[in-house]
Amino acid sequence: MKKSLTALAALAAAGLASAQSSVTLFGVVDAGVTYQSATSRDATTGLSSKQSKWSLANSGYNSSRIGFRGTEDLGGGLAASFWLEAPITNDDGATGVSTFNRRSTVSLSGGFGELRLGRDYTATFWNDTVFDPFGTNGSGTNVISTVNGSTGLNNANYARASNMVGYFLPPNLGGFYGQLQYSFHENTDTDSGTTTASTNSNAGRYVGGRFGYANGPLDVALALGQSIATDTTSLTRKVQTINLGASYDFGPVKLFGELSNVKNKFDLAAGDSHDSYNGYLIGASMPVGAGVIRASYSSVRYDEGAAGITGEDPRAQKLAIGYVHNLSKRTALYATVARVNNRNDAAYTGSLSAASTTGYGSAGVSYTGLPRSSTGYDFGIRHSF
């Protein structure tokens, strides 16, 4: 149950007794038994190998977290708010309220919209998770999200970015919504002098936006953004993302879809090149009594050049099916099964990041050689408060 606390002492100390303030404690505790396996093939011998693991993991249905949020009514339609949210690893207790890296923002909102400062989700991540029936959690996470968040792309600003200034449109625009974001890289620029050369690195900067329309059963949104991953005198690497997502709730079934294009661009003195990752997702959720059946199919095709990850257009495909049984509004049991098939050839020398179905916690497994397929199962319980 949410805990709302009236901040009377703080208001008295600030001399704002007439203002209305509240603080809410919220969170999710999610744990489950998970099985992960990955099969690969040696490019020289042709022999296959398999790695597998049973684990007790967290965040198979919803991400485990604990947070605090609050709002103060400033009058005249203005409000000040804060949001501090920390990840927790309840399977081993190793991570708690030691870092608010899921979200840490302060904002001012009114008829003009909302101005939000701090660490927050990026605009380009939202379509990957909102239009995925599995919400980019657990073994059912779509391969678009797995590839975009992989070490191969090494985009630190994929899901969230720090040092961000964001603007959100007001909610009274007849269903239209949108946001713009700019993340400061906070690197030090050095002007040239008699003994030093000029340095100017934009590595870490993110710029993005998302605009959509939601009315009744329809929700559709377009997002685009750019993150500068590397910026040195010899290489500038930019990750550019554009995606379009939509969902429509027919009542008996809700359909989801997404198209995604990600370019990993290399600006070199010898010339420019880029790798492309083109993905799509189709999915559905169907209420059945006290539960929901979820299903999705996602695919990403790798178009990789000579720079960065090399190879010949391999493809990752994933099918996921799951069931959630709601015991109450806050407690649910869930089960998910997912299968990834990787299509590549002996010329491929890259790291096909979607070879493992899982991208959360320590439940994932690795592989050696050419990745071929992987399987994941989740059986767990989620409780929110």
Side-chain angles (χ1 to χ4, degrees), residues 173-222:
L173 299 179
F176 290 97
Y177 60 89
Q179 64 183 100
L180 293 171
Q181 294 175 313
Y182 181 90
S183 172
F184 291 90
H185 56 71
E186 295 195 345
N187 300 316
T188 301
D189 296 338
T190 302
D191 293 332
S192 61
T194 56
T195 59
T196 60
S198 298
T199 59
N200 183 1
S201 174
N202 293 316
R205 186 182 70 189
Y206 173 83
V207 181
R210 180 173 182 255
F211 298 92
Y213 176 78
N215 190 7
L218 174 66
D219 188 3
V220 58
L222 173 70

Short mmCIF file of all heavy atoms in Angstrom, two decimals, residues 173-222:
data_model
loop_
_atom_site.label_atom_id
_atom_site.label_comp_id
_atom_site.label_asym_id
_atom_site.label_seq_id
_atom_site.Cartn_x
_atom_site.Cartn_y
_atom_site.Cartn_z
N LEU A 173 -3.81 18.23 -24.67
CA LEU A 173 -3.71 18.58 -26.09
C LEU A 173 -4.52 17.62 -26.96
O LEU A 173 -4.13 17.32 -28.09
CB LEU A 173 -2.24 18.58 -26.53
CG LEU A 173 -1.33 19.58 -25.80
CD1 LEU A 173 0.09 19.47 -26.31
CD2 LEU A 173 -1.86 21.01 -25.96
N GLY A 174 -5.60 17.12 -26.44
CA GLY A 174 -6.48 16.27 -27.22
C GLY A 174 -5.88 14.93 -27.60
O GLY A 174 -6.20 14.39 -28.66
N GLY A 175 -5.01 14.40 -26.75
CA GLY A 175 -4.39 13.10 -27.01
C GLY A 175 -2.97 13.19 -27.53
O GLY A 175 -2.25 12.18 -27.52
N PHE A 176 -2.53 14.35 -27.99
CA PHE A 176 -1.16 14.50 -28.48
C PHE A 176 -0.21 14.66 -27.29
O PHE A 176 -0.53 15.34 -26.31
CB PHE A 176 -1.05 15.70 -29.41
CG PHE A 176 -1.74 15.51 -30.72
CD1 PHE A 176 -3.04 16.01 -30.90
CD2 PHE A 176 -1.13 14.84 -31.76
CE1 PHE A 176 -3.70 15.83 -32.11
CE2 PHE A 176 -1.78 14.65 -32.97
CZ PHE A 176 -3.07 15.15 -33.14
N TYR A 177 0.94 14.01 -27.37
CA TYR A 177 1.94 14.13 -26.31
C TYR A 177 3.33 14.18 -26.95
O TYR A 177 3.52 13.80 -28.12
CB TYR A 177 1.85 12.97 -25.32
CG TYR A 177 2.04 11.59 -25.91
CD1 TYR A 177 3.31 11.02 -26.01
CD2 TYR A 177 0.96 10.83 -26.35
CE1 TYR A 177 3.49 9.75 -26.54
CE2 TYR A 177 1.12 9.56 -26.87
CZ TYR A 177 2.39 9.03 -26.97
OH TYR A 177 2.57 7.76 -27.50
N GLY A 178 4.30 14.65 -26.18
CA GLY A 178 5.64 14.73 -26.73
C GLY A 178 6.66 15.17 -25.69
O GLY A 178 6.31 15.67 -24.61
N GLN A 179 7.92 14.99 -26.04
CA GLN A 179 9.01 15.38 -25.16
C GLN A 179 10.26 15.65 -25.98
O GLN A 179 10.46 15.09 -27.05
CB GLN A 179 9.30 14.28 -24.12
CG GLN A 179 9.79 12.98 -24.74
CD GLN A 179 10.01 11.89 -23.70
OE1 GLN A 179 9.16 11.03 -23.53
NE2 GLN A 179 11.14 11.93 -23.02
N LEU A 180 11.11 16.53 -25.45
CA LEU A 180 12.43 16.82 -26.01
C LEU A 180 13.44 16.72 -24.88
O LEU A 180 13.16 17.11 -23.74
CB LEU A 180 12.47 18.23 -26.62
CG LEU A 180 11.62 18.47 -27.87
CD1 LEU A 180 11.62 19.96 -28.20
CD2 LEU A 180 12.14 17.66 -29.05
N GLN A 181 14.64 16.19 -25.19
CA GLN A 181 15.65 15.98 -24.15
C GLN A 181 17.04 16.34 -24.65
O GLN A 181 17.37 16.12 -25.83
CB GLN A 181 15.66 14.51 -23.69
CG GLN A 181 14.39 14.07 -23.00
CD GLN A 181 14.41 12.58 -22.68
OE1 GLN A 181 14.75 11.77 -23.52
NE2 GLN A 181 14.01 12.22 -21.46
N TYR A 182 17.83 16.90 -23.75
CA TYR A 182 19.23 17.19 -24.03
C TYR A 182 20.04 16.81 -22.80
O TYR A 182 19.76 17.27 -21.69
CB TYR A 182 19.44 18.67 -24.35
CG TYR A 182 20.88 19.02 -24.66
CD1 TYR A 182 21.38 18.96 -25.96
CD2 TYR A 182 21.75 19.40 -23.64
CE1 TYR A 182 22.70 19.28 -26.25
CE2 TYR A 182 23.07 19.71 -23.92
CZ TYR A 182 23.54 19.65 -25.22
OH TYR A 182 24.85 19.96 -25.50
N SER A 183 21.03 15.95 -23.01
CA SER A 183 21.89 15.49 -21.91
C SER A 183 23.27 16.10 -22.07
O SER A 183 23.91 15.95 -23.12
CB SER A 183 21.99 13.96 -21.91
OG SER A 183 22.95 13.53 -20.98
N PHE A 184 23.75 16.80 -21.04
CA PHE A 184 25.08 17.41 -21.08
C PHE A 184 26.16 16.33 -20.96
O PHE A 184 26.06 15.42 -20.13
CB PHE A 184 25.24 18.41 -19.94
CG PHE A 184 24.39 19.65 -20.11
CD1 PHE A 184 23.11 19.70 -19.60
CD2 PHE A 184 24.88 20.76 -20.78
CE1 PHE A 184 22.32 20.83 -19.74
CE2 PHE A 184 24.11 21.90 -20.93
CZ PHE A 184 22.83 21.93 -20.41
N HIS A 185 27.21 16.46 -21.77
CA HIS A 185 28.31 15.48 -21.67
C HIS A 185 29.22 15.78 -20.48
O HIS A 185 29.89 14.88 -19.97
CB HIS A 185 29.12 15.46 -22.97
CG HIS A 185 29.69 16.78 -23.38
ND1 HIS A 185 30.72 17.41 -22.72
CD2 HIS A 185 29.35 17.59 -24.42
CE1 HIS A 185 31.01 18.54 -23.33
NE2 HIS A 185 30.19 18.70 -24.36
N GLU A 186 29.28 17.02 -20.04
CA GLU A 186 30.06 17.44 -18.87
C GLU A 186 31.56 17.14 -19.00
O GLU A 186 32.23 16.87 -17.99
CB GLU A 186 29.49 16.83 -17.59
CG GLU A 186 28.08 17.33 -17.26
CD GLU A 186 27.65 17.03 -15.85
OE1 GLU A 186 28.30 16.19 -15.19
OE2 GLU A 186 26.65 17.62 -15.40
N ASN A 187 32.07 17.13 -20.21
CA ASN A 187 33.51 17.01 -20.41
C ASN A 187 34.15 18.39 -20.40
O ASN A 187 33.53 19.39 -20.77
CB ASN A 187 33.83 16.32 -21.74
CG ASN A 187 33.26 14.93 -21.81
OD1 ASN A 187 33.34 14.16 -20.85
ND2 ASN A 187 32.63 14.60 -22.94
N THR A 188 35.40 18.45 -19.99
CA THR A 188 36.12 19.71 -19.93
C THR A 188 36.77 20.03 -21.27
O THR A 188 37.49 19.19 -21.83
CB THR A 188 37.21 19.67 -18.84
OG1 THR A 188 36.60 19.41 -17.57
CG2 THR A 188 37.97 20.98 -18.77
N ASP A 189 36.50 21.22 -21.81
CA ASP A 189 37.13 21.67 -23.04
C ASP A 189 38.41 22.44 -22.71
O ASP A 189 38.43 23.24 -21.77
CB ASP A 189 36.19 22.58 -23.84
CG ASP A 189 34.94 21.86 -24.29
OD1 ASP A 189 34.99 20.61 -24.38
OD2 ASP A 189 33.93 22.53 -24.55
N THR A 190 39.44 22.18 -23.46
CA THR A 190 40.72 22.84 -23.25
C THR A 190 41.12 23.58 -24.52
O THR A 190 41.19 22.99 -25.59
CB THR A 190 41.82 21.82 -22.89
OG1 THR A 190 41.42 21.11 -21.72
CG2 THR A 190 43.15 22.53 -22.64
N ASP A 191 41.35 24.91 -24.39
CA ASP A 191 41.83 25.68 -25.53
C ASP A 191 43.32 25.46 -25.71
O ASP A 191 44.06 25.19 -24.76
CB ASP A 191 41.56 27.17 -25.31
CG ASP A 191 40.07 27.48 -25.30
OD1 ASP A 191 39.33 26.75 -25.96
OD2 ASP A 191 39.67 28.44 -24.61
N SER A 192 43.76 25.57 -26.96
CA SER A 192 45.17 25.36 -27.26
C SER A 192 46.02 26.46 -26.62
O SER A 192 45.63 27.61 -26.52
CB SER A 192 45.40 25.34 -28.77
OG SER A 192 45.02 26.58 -29.32
N GLY A 193 47.20 26.05 -26.18
CA GLY A 193 48.15 26.98 -25.60
C GLY A 193 49.53 26.72 -26.15
O GLY A 193 49.70 26.04 -27.17
N THR A 194 50.48 27.21 -25.49
CA THR A 194 51.85 27.05 -25.99
C THR A 194 52.36 25.64 -25.80
O THR A 194 53.23 25.18 -26.54
CB THR A 194 52.79 28.03 -25.25
OG1 THR A 194 52.66 27.80 -23.84
CG2 THR A 194 52.42 29.47 -25.56
N THR A 195 51.80 24.91 -24.83
CA THR A 195 52.31 23.56 -24.55
C THR A 195 51.26 22.48 -24.69
O THR A 195 51.58 21.30 -24.63
CB THR A 195 52.89 23.49 -23.13
OG1 THR A 195 51.86 23.83 -22.19
CG2 THR A 195 54.06 24.45 -22.98
N THR A 196 50.02 22.86 -24.88
CA THR A 196 48.96 21.86 -24.96
C THR A 196 48.13 22.06 -26.21
O THR A 196 47.98 23.18 -26.72
CB THR A 196 48.02 21.93 -23.73
OG1 THR A 196 47.42 23.21 -23.68
CG2 THR A 196 48.80 21.67 -22.45
N ALA A 197 47.58 20.95 -26.72
CA ALA A 197 46.69 21.00 -27.87
C ALA A 197 45.25 21.15 -27.40
O ALA A 197 44.91 20.81 -26.26
CB ALA A 197 46.84 19.74 -28.71
N SER A 198 44.40 21.67 -28.27
CA SER A 198 42.99 21.84 -27.92
C SER A 198 42.32 20.47 -27.80
O SER A 198 42.59 19.56 -28.60
CB SER A 198 42.27 22.66 -28.99
OG SER A 198 42.82 23.95 -29.06
N THR A 199 41.47 20.33 -26.80
CA THR A 199 40.67 19.12 -26.65
C THR A 199 39.22 19.52 -26.47
O THR A 199 38.90 20.46 -25.74
CB THR A 199 41.12 18.28 -25.45
OG1 THR A 199 41.01 19.07 -24.26
CG2 THR A 199 42.56 17.81 -25.61
N ASN A 200 38.34 18.82 -27.15
CA ASN A 200 36.92 19.11 -27.09
C ASN A 200 36.16 17.83 -27.38
O ASN A 200 36.05 17.43 -28.53
CB ASN A 200 36.56 20.20 -28.10
CG ASN A 200 35.10 20.59 -28.01
OD1 ASN A 200 34.35 20.07 -27.19
ND2 ASN A 200 34.68 21.50 -28.87
N SER A 201 35.68 17.15 -26.35
CA SER A 201 34.99 15.87 -26.52
C SER A 201 33.52 16.01 -26.13
O SER A 201 33.19 16.53 -25.06
CB SER A 201 35.65 14.80 -25.66
OG SER A 201 34.92 13.59 -25.72
N ASN A 202 32.65 15.56 -27.03
CA ASN A 202 31.22 15.54 -26.75
C ASN A 202 30.72 14.16 -26.34
O ASN A 202 29.51 13.92 -26.32
CB ASN A 202 30.45 15.99 -28.00
CG ASN A 202 30.69 17.45 -28.33
OD1 ASN A 202 30.67 18.30 -27.44
ND2 ASN A 202 30.92 17.75 -29.61
N ALA A 203 31.63 13.24 -26.03
CA ALA A 203 31.24 11.89 -25.65
C ALA A 203 30.34 11.92 -24.43
O ALA A 203 30.63 12.57 -23.43
CB ALA A 203 32.48 11.05 -25.36
N GLY A 204 29.22 11.20 -24.51
CA GLY A 204 28.26 11.15 -23.43
C GLY A 204 27.03 12.00 -23.66
O GLY A 204 26.04 11.88 -22.92
N ARG A 205 27.04 12.85 -24.68
CA ARG A 205 25.89 13.72 -24.94
C ARG A 205 24.77 12.94 -25.63
O ARG A 205 25.00 12.13 -26.52
CB ARG A 205 26.32 14.88 -25.83
CG ARG A 205 25.21 15.93 -26.03
CD ARG A 205 25.66 17.03 -26.95
NE ARG A 205 25.78 16.56 -28.33
CZ ARG A 205 26.33 17.28 -29.31
NH1 ARG A 205 26.84 18.47 -29.04
NH2 ARG A 205 26.39 16.80 -30.53
N TYR A 206 23.55 13.23 -25.22
CA TYR A 206 22.36 12.64 -25.84
C TYR A 206 21.37 13.74 -26.19
O TYR A 206 21.13 14.66 -25.40
CB TYR A 206 21.68 11.64 -24.89
CG TYR A 206 20.34 11.13 -25.40
CD1 TYR A 206 20.29 10.07 -26.30
CD2 TYR A 206 19.15 11.73 -25.01
CE1 TYR A 206 19.07 9.61 -26.79
CE2 TYR A 206 17.93 11.28 -25.49
CZ TYR A 206 17.89 10.22 -26.38
OH TYR A 206 16.69 9.77 -26.87
N VAL A 207 20.80 13.65 -27.39
CA VAL A 207 19.74 14.55 -27.83
C VAL A 207 18.63 13.69 -28.42
O VAL A 207 18.90 12.81 -29.26
CB VAL A 207 20.24 15.56 -28.89
CG1 VAL A 207 19.10 16.48 -29.31
CG2 VAL A 207 21.41 16.36 -28.36
N GLY A 208 17.39 13.90 -27.97
CA GLY A 208 16.32 13.07 -28.49
C GLY A 208 14.95 13.68 -28.30
O GLY A 208 14.78 14.67 -27.57
N GLY A 209 13.98 13.10 -28.96
CA GLY A 209 12.61 13.55 -28.84
C GLY A 209 11.63 12.44 -29.18
O GLY A 209 11.97 11.49 -29.89
N ARG A 210 10.42 12.58 -28.67
CA ARG A 210 9.37 11.59 -28.93
C ARG A 210 8.04 12.31 -28.98
O ARG A 210 7.72 13.13 -28.10
CB ARG A 210 9.36 10.52 -27.83
CG ARG A 210 8.29 9.43 -28.01
CD ARG A 210 8.48 8.35 -26.96
NE ARG A 210 7.52 7.25 -27.12
CZ ARG A 210 6.46 7.05 -26.34
NH1 ARG A 210 6.21 7.86 -25.32
NH2 ARG A 210 5.66 6.03 -26.55
N PHE A 211 7.24 12.00 -30.01
CA PHE A 211 5.94 12.63 -30.18
C PHE A 211 4.93 11.56 -30.57
O PHE A 211 5.23 10.68 -31.39
CB PHE A 211 6.01 13.72 -31.25
CG PHE A 211 6.94 14.84 -30.87
CD1 PHE A 211 8.27 14.80 -31.26
CD2 PHE A 211 6.50 15.90 -30.10
CE1 PHE A 211 9.15 15.80 -30.91
CE2 PHE A 211 7.38 16.91 -29.73
CZ PHE A 211 8.70 16.86 -30.14
N GLY A 212 3.75 11.65 -29.97
CA GLY A 212 2.76 10.62 -30.22
C GLY A 212 1.35 11.10 -30.04
O GLY A 212 1.08 12.27 -29.71
N TYR A 213 0.42 10.15 -30.24
CA TYR A 213 -1.00 10.42 -30.09
C TYR A 213 -1.63 9.22 -29.41
O TYR A 213 -1.47 8.07 -29.86
CB TYR A 213 -1.65 10.65 -31.45
CG TYR A 213 -3.13 10.86 -31.40
CD1 TYR A 213 -3.68 12.08 -31.02
CD2 TYR A 213 -4.01 9.82 -31.75
CE1 TYR A 213 -5.06 12.27 -30.98
CE2 TYR A 213 -5.39 10.01 -31.70
CZ TYR A 213 -5.90 11.23 -31.32
OH TYR A 213 -7.25 11.42 -31.26
N ALA A 214 -2.34 9.47 -28.32
CA ALA A 214 -3.04 8.41 -27.59
C ALA A 214 -4.46 8.86 -27.32
O ALA A 214 -4.68 9.90 -26.68
CB ALA A 214 -2.32 8.10 -26.27
N ASN A 215 -5.41 8.10 -27.82
CA ASN A 215 -6.82 8.44 -27.63
C ASN A 215 -7.63 7.15 -27.68
O ASN A 215 -7.60 6.44 -28.69
CB ASN A 215 -7.30 9.41 -28.70
CG ASN A 215 -8.67 9.97 -28.39
OD1 ASN A 215 -9.23 9.74 -27.32
ND2 ASN A 215 -9.23 10.72 -29.33
N GLY A 216 -8.31 6.83 -26.59
CA GLY A 216 -9.08 5.60 -26.54
C GLY A 216 -8.19 4.39 -26.67
O GLY A 216 -7.18 4.26 -25.98
N PRO A 217 -8.49 3.50 -27.60
CA PRO A 217 -7.70 2.27 -27.72
C PRO A 217 -6.40 2.43 -28.49
O PRO A 217 -5.57 1.52 -28.51
CB PRO A 217 -8.65 1.33 -28.48
CG PRO A 217 -9.47 2.26 -29.32
CD PRO A 217 -9.67 3.50 -28.50
N LEU A 218 -6.19 3.58 -29.13
CA LEU A 218 -5.04 3.79 -30.01
C LEU A 218 -3.92 4.54 -29.31
O LEU A 218 -4.17 5.54 -28.61
CB LEU A 218 -5.46 4.56 -31.27
CG LEU A 218 -4.33 4.97 -32.22
CD1 LEU A 218 -3.68 3.74 -32.86
CD2 LEU A 218 -4.86 5.93 -33.29
N ASP A 219 -2.69 4.08 -29.52
CA ASP A 219 -1.50 4.79 -29.07
C ASP A 219 -0.42 4.61 -30.13
O ASP A 219 -0.10 3.47 -30.50
CB ASP A 219 -1.01 4.24 -27.72
CG ASP A 219 0.11 5.08 -27.11
OD1 ASP A 219 0.47 6.11 -27.71
OD2 ASP A 219 0.63 4.68 -26.05
N VAL A 220 0.12 5.70 -30.65
CA VAL A 220 1.16 5.62 -31.67
C VAL A 220 2.19 6.71 -31.38
O VAL A 220 1.82 7.83 -30.98
CB VAL A 220 0.57 5.77 -33.09
CG1 VAL A 220 -0.18 7.09 -33.24
CG2 VAL A 220 1.65 5.65 -34.15
N ALA A 221 3.48 6.40 -31.56
CA ALA A 221 4.53 7.36 -31.22
C ALA A 221 5.75 7.16 -32.11
O ALA A 221 6.10 6.03 -32.46
CB ALA A 221 4.93 7.25 -29.75
N LEU A 222 6.39 8.28 -32.46
CA LEU A 222 7.63 8.30 -33.22
C LEU A 222 8.71 8.91 -32.35
O LEU A 222 8.49 9.96 -31.72
CB LEU A 222 7.46 9.12 -34.50
CG LEU A 222 8.72 9.36 -35.34
CD1 LEU A 222 9.18 8.06 -36.00
CD2 LEU A 222 8.46 10.45 -36.40
#
